[in-house]
Amino acid sequence: MRSDDTIFAMASGHGRAAVCLIRISGPESRLILERMAGRVPEARRAVVRTLRDPASGEPLDQALVLWMPGPQSFTGEDQAELHIHGGLATRTAVLRALGSLENCRPAEAGEFTRRAFLNGRMDLSQVEGLADVIDAETEAQRRQAMLQLGGRLGNAAERWRETILQVLALLEASLDFSDEGDVPEDLEDNILRMIDEVQGEVDRALANRSGERLREGLTVVLAGPPNAGKSTLLNALAQRDVAIVSPIAGTTRDVIEVHCDLGGLPVVIVDTAGLRESADLIEQEGVSRARARAQDADLVLWLVPPEGVNSAPPPARRLLKVGTKADLNRSRHDCDLLVAAATGAGLPDLIGRLEAEASSLMGQGDAVITRERHRNALEKAQGCLGRAHAMLASRGPLELAAEEVRLAARAIGEITGRVDVEDVLDRLFSSFCIGK
Ligand SMILES: Nc1nc2c(ncn2[C@@H]2O[C@H](COP(=O)(O)OP(=O)(O)OP(=O)(O)O)[C@@H](O)[C@H]2O)c(=O)[nH]1
Ligand SMILES: [Mg+2]
């Protein structure tokens, strides 16, 4: 993959469409535009042109054409856009014409974004935000992805890194200028205060799991004794027939997941096997999976049928007791909520409750981390800063403290992709495969 090639790709999806967008980026963009569309239009002004095959001069399509010279383009390079008609033959003809030009080749997956990153048009956390914008399925996910793309986390990480680099500069100056290797006391106070400040902010970011939850979806597990009506409730919440329902106790054995959009928040609802002692090996496996999922869930709905339940609810972070089959017996007072999934009674209340739970768990913050990668980098930085702080406070060796501070800056730099991110890049960019 040569980065001085000119690349092109469809930016819109495959399949028949009214319009198809083809992007071109690289040093030959201007020449390509001239050869296919004639005179190059004014920068960033859309004009209608006849696109022609550069070899034969044959007209291929009427297109809207844009010229976007670097460095103010998405990739930072010279770019052109062709908005052509979206029919299969038109697309094929234009793409074939582009491919026949010298030094011009189809882009690899994510290559436009990779160039934008390499040319400093966006940092790595923003690239992740862009991937999330493209993948966002609910309104709240879209909003979060937009904030990430706008640099909410990246800016905070850069601020932390700058403070840490200032600390490092102060430590290195002390190393150079003091014979005893001691830091003057007021300077030391200053350094410790700066470290405290960063640690406090990073701690707050780490404590807030809402960003990761919002990206992945809140998990709600339906648990209860066999025949409680779990699968019927799943089908009602999903508004389709996902799980088998029957009067036979022990119908569900596998874990069944459905992704829902509740008030703009992504929620994964999980139906599980009824909890009971069983001699059946398959059912035993189902029950142990049910318990495991309940333990990891953000919320467990413990479903209790009118006849009651003998066993205790499974261990869970958070649990709501929901009385089922309310159409058969409405006089139950020991439940948080009553539903009759068969008739739909009580469902709006339950959905309202789930939305409230989801939005309270997905509150916003200043520097919201959205991926495990961010969490790992910040935890690493926190460890280094903690050790540096302890060494300085106990007047340990300055060189070692400085080394820890340097490592902390590196760890934070991973968030914006300033250091050590090749493997992350490869994985991330391969996700920008539009429509393939
Ligand atoms: N009257 C009434 N019957 C219901 C209601 N919900 C479920 N049932 C019935 O209760 C029986 C069991 O329902 P399921 O949804 O299969 O129960 P489950 O908890 O998934 O059971 P297992 O998968 O065996 O653990 C079925 O015959 C349902 O039709 C309800 O709201 N009202
Ligand atoms: Mg079931």
Side-chain angles (χ1 to χ4, degrees):
M1 186 171 68
R2 286 167 47 116
S3 60
D4 53 357
D5 284 346
T6 297
I7 53 173
F8 63 92
M10 266 169 43
S12 47
H14 291 239
R16 183 172 173 271
V19 176
C20 159
L21 168 59
I22 294 175
R23 289 193 297 183
I24 304 164
S25 179
E28 307 264 321
S29 299
R30 187 185 176 98
L31 196 67
I32 291 169
L33 206 53
E34 266 170 2
R35 293 187 63 185
M36 290 185 70
R39 195 167 46 81
V40 170
E42 213 180 298
R44 290 176 288 279
R45 275 283 168 83
V47 294
V48 176
R49 289 285 163 80
T50 301
L51 291 188
R52 291 179 186 277
D53 185 311
S56 65
E58 186 201 343
L60 300 176
D61 194 17
Q62 285 283 342
L64 199 66
V65 170
L66 280 144
W67 161 239
M68 290 171 291
Q72 280 150 306
S73 65
F74 172 72
T75 56
E77 304 175 331
D78 282 353
Q79 268 191 268
E81 275 184 18
L82 310 175
H83 299 232
I84 63 170
H85 290 106
L88 181 62
T90 307
R91 267 172 12 212
T92 309
V94 174
L95 291 172
R96 188 179 296 143
L98 283 166
S100 71
L101 293 165
E102 242 173 78
N103 303 325
C104 185
R105 61 165 171 82
E108 302 194 4
E111 203 173 352
F112 281 84
T113 317
R114 180 185 281 271
R115 289 185 177 194
F117 171 75
L118 293 175
N119 292 327
R121 300 292 289 165
M122 52 202 325
D123 73 35
L124 187 56
S125 75
Q126 290 175 303
V127 172
E128 289 169 331
L130 178 60
D132 289 348
V133 167
I134 294 171
D135 287 335
E137 287 180 352
T138 75
E139 185 55 19
Q141 284 179 324
R142 181 189 65 73
R143 262 186 250 124
Q144 163 158 301
M146 287 290 293
L147 288 168
Q148 171 101 353
L149 176 60
R152 178 174 60 177
L153 176 64
N155 293 343
E158 271 310 284
R159 214 178 52 237
W160 297 330
R161 206 173 75 97
E162 270 162 30
T163 309
I164 296 172
L165 290 177
Q166 275 172 26
V167 167
L168 187 61
L170 291 174
L171 284 174
E172 280 173 347
S174 312
L175 272 171
D176 287 347
F177 290 111
S178 82
D179 297 337
E180 305 88 47
D182 271 350
V183 190
E185 212 158 293
D186 52 339
L187 191 61
E188 187 184 284
D189 287 349
N190 229 346
I191 290 177
L192 289 177
R193 198 176 36 75
M194 285 160 84
I195 295 181
D196 280 342
E197 191 184 293
V198 174
Q199 278 194 301
E201 285 189 32
V202 172
D203 263 342
R204 273 197 295 285
L206 282 170
N208 180 355
R209 290 193 173 263
S210 64
E212 291 145 295
R213 269 210 198 91
L214 188 49
R215 231 188 121 243
E216 282 148 27
L218 181 95
T219 316
V220 177
V221 166
L222 308 180
N227 256 346
K230 301 179 293 296
S231 302
T232 311
L233 183 59
L234 176 78
N235 291 346
L237 289 170
Q239 296 178 334
R240 58 200 165 94
D241 204 4
V242 197
I244 300 174
V245 165
S246 91
I248 303 166
T251 301
T252 306
R253 281 136 178 250
D254 267 327
V255 169
I256 302 174
E257 288 190 1
V258 175
H259 293 249
C260 298
D261 177 341
L262 289 187
L265 298 167
V267 176
V268 186
I269 301 178
V270 186
D271 181 23
T272 60
L275 300 180
R276 67 168 173 185
E277 298 294 325
S278 166
D280 182 320
L281 278 182
I282 301 171
E283 194 176 349
Q284 278 175 18
E285 177 60 27
V287 168
S288 79
R289 288 183 189 199
R291 289 190 179 282
R293 290 308 295 262
Q295 196 151 20
D296 292 340
D298 295 302
L299 174 67
V300 169
L301 298 185
W302 176 239
L303 303 198
V304 180
E307 61 272 21
V309 55
N310 300 327
S311 51
R317 277 187 219 148
R318 191 155 167 64
L319 188 126
L320 274 183
K321 195 167 170 187
V322 179
T324 58
K325 309 187 192 181
D327 52 317
L328 299 182
N329 176 1
R330 304 189 54 83
S331 58
R332 279 179 287 162
H333 305 291
D334 55 340
C335 296
D336 299 311
L337 280 164
L338 283 182
V339 295
T343 66
L347 278 182
D349 279 355
L350 176 62
I351 291 171
R353 223 13 217 272
L354 291 179
E355 284 178 11
E357 292 280 338
S359 72
S360 78
L361 284 171
M362 294 179 189
Q364 295 300 312
D366 296 333
V368 175
I369 58 185
T370 54
R371 296 176 186 238
E372 185 78 22
R373 190 182 79 76
H374 307 152
R375 182 166 290 284
N376 291 341
L378 291 184
E379 280 170 352
K380 211 188 312 171
Q382 235 18 5
C384 298
L385 289 178
R387 283 189 292 278
H389 194 288
M391 279 179 211
L392 289 169
S394 65
R395 307 205 158 265
L398 266 192
E399 289 88 346
L400 291 185
E403 183 55 23
E404 292 288 357
V405 172
R406 191 172 299 119
L407 291 174
R410 273 190 87 82
I412 299 235
E414 287 174 22
I415 290 187
T416 49
R418 289 183 169 262
V419 288
D420 290 346
V421 291
E422 264 313 309
D423 56 327
V424 184
L425 290 181
D426 287 343
R427 237 178 303 127
L428 188 61
F429 289 127
S430 67
S431 72
F432 284 97
C433 214
I434 303 298
K436 287 203 184 132

